Amino acid sequence: MKYVVTLNGKNYEVEVEKTDAVITNITEATAPVAAPAPAAAPAPAAAPAAPAAASADGTKVIAPMPGAILSVAKNVGDSVNAGDVIVVLEAMKMENDIVAPCAGTIKQITVQKGTTVETDAVLAVIG
C-alpha cells in the first residue's frame, strides 16, 4: 500500500508492506518513514452530565470527578433545558461542561467560581 506522509511540511510517498518484524529503537536520523500514524481520536464533546439524583427537593446535578469550578453559567431562578451548561469544571487541565440532566428551574447553586469539589459533590439542584 502506498501513502503520502507529510513530515515537517514536506510530502513523502511511502510504501508499506505487511510483515511480522518488530522494530525497536527508532531514531529520527536512522528511521525510514514507515506507515502514517493512525489518526488521533476526535476530541470528546462536552463531558456528559453527572448522574442526577431525583429527590423530593429536585434533581441534583452531581460532579462526575474532582476539580475546580471555573465558572457558573446559571443562577438560582434561571430556567434550564436538558443539556444547558450549568457550571464549567476544570479537572486535569481540561474544561468540562456540566450540563442540566433535565429541564426545570435552578433551585439551588451550591458552588461558586474557584470552589474545589470532590466526585459526587452536589453542584446544583433543579426543580
Side-chain angles (χ1 to χ4, degrees), residues 7-52:
L7 180 64
N8 295 330
K10 293 183 180 178
N11 290 332
Y12 298 91
E13 185 176 301
V14 293
E15 189 170 333
V16 181
E17 63 182 59
K18 187 174 182 176
T19 178
D20 293 332
V22 176
I23 300 173
T24 58
N25 270 346
I26 295 178
T27 63
E28 185 176 337
T30 62
V33 177

Side-chain angles (χ1 to χ4, degrees), residues 39-98:
S55 71
D57 298 327
T59 301
K60 295 178 182 176
V61 180
I62 308 296
M65 64 195 80
I69 303 300
L70 289 181
S71 65
V72 179
K74 299 293 181 183
N75 297 305
V76 173
D78 288 352
S79 292
V80 293
N81 293 311
D84 287 354
V85 175
I86 297 175
V87 299
V88 177
L89 174 72
E90 179 185 38
M92 298 185 293
K93 302 200 186 263
M94 291 185 65
E95 294 182 16
N96 300 280
D97 291 341
I98 308 302

Side-chain angles (χ1 to χ4, degrees), residues 5 35-40:
V5 178

